[in-house]
Amino acid sequence: MNIREQFLNHLSDGFNQMSNLLLQQMDLVHNQLFEVNDTVANTKIIAENEKTIDHLQNVLREKMIKTIVLQNPKAGD
């Protein structure tokens, strides 16, 4: 596996991690809205998950920019 494939696999792993966290976040919000109002879940939604999602978003953005720069795209790409 070359460096490019490793980098893209790492990027894909980050997307999967963020997707799973977003799905968990949606479940927590759904439960808060339609089932039980739990202050512990509110804290997890606001404090923990949102910070992690924001961090992952920033990391993935930087990795995507680096991927584009490293691939040296041409106009035909």
Side-chain angles (χ1 to χ4, degrees):
M1 184 181 294
N2 62 29
I3 294 173
R4 177 181 168 195
E5 290 171 342
Q6 289 175 353
F7 196 77
L8 292 175
N9 284 338
H10 188 65
L11 189 61
S12 178
D13 291 342
F15 274 115
N16 289 334
Q17 181 183 5
M18 188 167 155
S19 298
N20 290 332
L21 186 57
L22 286 169
L23 290 172
Q24 178 188 16
Q25 186 81 332
M26 288 173 40
D27 286 340
L28 287 170
V29 170
H30 179 270
N31 289 341
Q32 288 297 96
L33 290 173
F34 298 109
E35 294 176 19
V36 180
N37 189 3
D38 180 9
T39 56
V40 174
N42 280 337
T43 302
K44 186 169 186 172
I45 290 169
I46 295 168
E48 296 173 23
N49 288 354
E50 283 300 320
K51 287 180 184 178
T52 305
I53 290 169
D54 289 343
H55 174 73
L56 286 171
Q57 181 181 5
N58 290 332
V59 169
L60 288 172
R61 180 184 305 120
E62 289 176 21
K63 287 181 181 181
M64 284 186 270
I65 291 169
K66 287 179 183 178
T67 300
I68 292 168
V69 170
L70 290 174
Q71 296 305 312
N72 195 13
K74 300 192 178 19
D77 293 339

